[in-house]
Amino acid sequence: MKPTTLEEAVALTQKFTSRPSNEELLRLYGLYKQATEGDNEGERPGGFDFKAAAKYNAWLILKGKSKEQATLDYLDLVEELSNKYM
């Protein structure tokens, strides 16, 4: 099932019957943030907050991707993951 909006895609991820891999979750996170906020302009997390650093990096690597393209990529990824985890 292919979602047509960001909201539908987010709702679909809530219906997964098993948890995607950390790599897949980070891809979802980065694409969602790029689609909704644009380029990551925040400060890099410091210290030993590895989870926050991974999320920061997942978003940062998408710098320059348009919100529209990030949205399309997010929808495609959710469709792919829904076939795998539902």
Side-chain angles (χ1 to χ4, degrees), residues 55-86:
K55 290 168 84 173
Y56 177 91
N57 290 335
W59 182 12
L60 187 66
I61 61 170
L62 299 171
K63 187 173 189 148
K65 183 178 287 244
S66 72
K67 287 182 175 185
E68 295 76 18
Q69 187 59 54
T71 299
L72 293 173
D73 291 350
Y74 183 84
L75 297 177
D76 288 343
L77 180 56
V78 169
E79 178 185 25
E80 174 188 326
L81 295 178
S82 70
N83 292 329
K84 193 172 176 183
Y85 295 109
M86 286 185 67

Side-chain angles (χ1 to χ4, degrees), residues 13-14 16 18-33 51 54-55 58-59 74 77 81 85:
T13 64
Q14 302 302 313
F16 290 173
S18 58
R19 186 178 186 275
S21 71
N22 286 340
E23 180 182 308
E24 290 165 334
L25 290 171
L26 286 170
R27 284 177 51 212
L28 281 171
Y29 176 83
L31 286 168
Y32 180 83
K33 293 296 273 186
K51 183 177 178 181
K55 290 168 84 173
W59 182 12
Y74 183 84
L77 180 56
L81 295 178
Y85 295 109

